[in-house]
Amino acid sequence: MKDQDGKVLFSETKNYEVYDLHLPSNKEGWMGFNDWDLTAMTHINLGLEPLKTDSLTFVVPLKADTKSATVEATYKFIYEEGDTADWKKVSKKVEF
């Protein structure tokens, strides 16, 4: 969120992630795992499910002289560290 002068008032990042991990409790053991044996992995789903909506609410205190603020949200796909693609971006200006 930025004010009318472009000063950043608020910024937040929410990561949705899915992991398939080999843990010590997995049937193949900790070090002798088979990378392709999906049944030996622990699936941890912290992702955004298809056709599901996630809603977040933030309360941002503003100074009395704030005339407007621009709110921007971007849905990014992170392929790997440093390699991303913006899938959806929306922006809305709010005047006070």
Side-chain angles (χ1 to χ4, degrees):
M1 172 186 268
K2 295 180 182 179
D3 69 5
Q4 67 275 359
D5 300 321
K7 180 181 174 190
V8 175
L9 303 171
F10 177 78
S11 179
E12 177 72 25
T13 299
K14 168 81 174 169
N15 290 325
Y16 300 95
E17 301 168 314
V18 177
Y19 300 100
D20 289 308
L21 304 173
H22 285 283
L23 302 175
S25 60
N26 293 131
K27 71 180 183 182
E28 295 293 326
W30 177 245
M31 297 304 290
F33 62 83
N34 176 348
D35 282 335
W36 301 107
D37 184 1
L38 296 177
T39 65
M41 298 176 123
T42 298
H43 184 72
I44 302 169
N45 187 355
L46 303 173
L48 185 60
E49 295 295 326
L51 305 176
K52 299 288 183 184
T53 301
D54 188 14
S55 177
L56 302 171
T57 301
F58 300 100
V59 177
V60 182
L62 301 174
K63 293 183 179 180
D65 64 345
T66 304
K67 295 180 176 74
S68 67
T70 302
V71 180
E72 182 179 284
T74 305
Y75 184 78
K76 292 183 178 206
F77 185 82
I78 303 172
Y79 297 98
E80 57 187 47
E81 190 173 339
D83 192 11
T84 65
D86 291 351
W87 281 4
K88 180 76 174 178
K89 185 181 234 180
V90 292
S91 181
K92 183 173 183 177
K93 184 175 182 178
V94 181
E95 301 203 21
F96 306 104

